[in-house]
């Protein structure tokens, strides 16, 4: 909970629950199936959607009554797969960490995994794409903030910068104005290099 935990801003993916938070769509990404090498060594990788339903899955708890993923395959048809969820949570960071530890197969944002795996290439921690022909296509990404009338300057600057950058890279809403320039007295670590 952003407000109760004192956070000024978060990036969230997928469907958003109704709340008092202010959400701005910043892009979209496909969600794909990933597993840790330790899980694949222990259980093997599914080769079909039918086999996927027999595997341990780490499930982002959504609105469905029963754990299921809707995946679009190479033929463009969406299929619903009921899961054996060994872990269910409503926080994507937790889902990723559970997948990393080998608890099961998880549906994770492709762009996040590309970035994370760039940093893991030198180790055995890199997640492995499972059933690469299937994905949950076009999941939305949002910047979410509490409804502050007078948000601190640092929050407004970060929010506007992220909206501009994600919009350019991942097809989100176009910013209403150019990204803000940071004040000259801003820490060098925060200044954008041009």
């Amino acid at each position: 909970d952003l407000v109760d935990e004192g956070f000024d801003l978060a990036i969230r993916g997928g469907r958003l629950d109704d709340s008092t938070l202010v959400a701005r769509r910043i892009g979209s990404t496909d969600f794909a199936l990933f597993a840790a090498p330790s899980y694949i060594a222990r259980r093997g990788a599914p080769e079909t959607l039918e086999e996927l339903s027999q595997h341990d899955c780490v499930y982002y708890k959504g609105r469905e009554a029963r754990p299921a993923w809707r995946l679009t395959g190479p033929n463009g048809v969406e299929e619903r797969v009921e899961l054996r969820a060994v872990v269910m949570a409503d926080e994507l960071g937790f889902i990723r960490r559970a997948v990393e530890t080998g608890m099961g197969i998880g549906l994770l944002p492709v762009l996040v995994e590309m970035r994370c795996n760039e940093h893991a290439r030198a180790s055995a921690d890199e997640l492995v794409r499972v059933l690469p022909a299937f994905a949950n296509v076009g999941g939305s990404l949002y910047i979410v903030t509490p409804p502050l009338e007078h948000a601190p300057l640092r929050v407004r600057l970060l929010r506007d910068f992220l909206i501009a950058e994600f919009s350019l890279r991942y097809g989100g809403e176009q910013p209403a104005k150019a990204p803000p320039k940071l004040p000259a007295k801003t820490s060098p670590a925060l200044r954008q290099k041009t």
Side-chain angles (χ1 to χ4, degrees):
D1 185 339
L2 243 55
V3 176
D4 288 344
E5 295 180 26
F7 288 98
D8 294 318
L9 179 143
I11 297 177
R12 298 226 171 121
R15 290 189 186 112
L16 297 177
D17 291 330
D18 290 335
S19 75
T20 60
L21 299 176
V22 177
R24 176 90 183 257
R25 186 177 178 279
I26 57 172
S28 65
T29 182
D30 292 346
F31 283 66
L33 300 167
F34 290 91
S38 61
Y39 177 83
I40 292 174
R42 189 174 72 251
R43 294 284 316 271
E47 295 184 18
T48 66
L49 290 182
E50 292 76 27
E51 288 181 19
L52 177 62
S53 66
Q54 302 305 310
H55 276 262
D56 295 340
C57 294
V58 179
Y59 181 67
Y60 183 89
K61 188 175 181 184
R63 301 172 195 265
E64 302 247 356
R66 297 183 54 125
W69 285 325
R70 295 182 184 283
L71 301 169
T72 302
N75 58 3
V77 175
E78 185 180 86
E79 298 183 50
R80 185 177 186 276
V81 181
E82 290 200 12
L83 308 173
R84 185 172 74 205
V86 295
V87 174
M88 290 195 292
D90 63 357
E91 203 275 314
L92 204 52
F94 179 85
I95 297 291
R96 186 182 197 290
R97 287 186 296 280
V99 171
E100 283 177 325
T101 63
M103 295 182 81
I105 297 169
L107 190 65
L108 299 168
V110 172
L111 78 91
V112 171
E113 290 318 306
M114 290 183 337
R115 300 266 182 203
C116 290
N117 283 340
E118 285 175 8
H119 299 291
R121 295 229 187 269
S123 70
D125 294 336
E126 183 174 346
L127 293 179
V128 176
R129 182 104 181 241
V130 177
L131 293 171
F134 293 89
N136 183 296
V137 180
S140 293
L141 297 172
Y142 299 91
I143 286 190
V144 181
T145 59
L148 299 175
E149 287 184 37
H150 304 288
L153 177 62
R154 70 181 186 280
V155 174
R156 293 191 318 260
L157 289 171
L158 177 60
R159 179 199 60 212
D160 293 347
F161 172 77
L162 290 172
I163 289 169
E165 285 298 308
F166 272 81
S167 295
L168 291 172
R169 295 174 191 223
Y170 305 112
E173 294 177 14
Q174 294 301 311
K177 56 186 178 196
K181 293 188 178 182
L182 296 175
K185 292 184 179 180
T186 303
S187 159
L190 292 177
R191 280 192 217 119
Q192 179 183 3
K193 294 179 182 177
T194 55

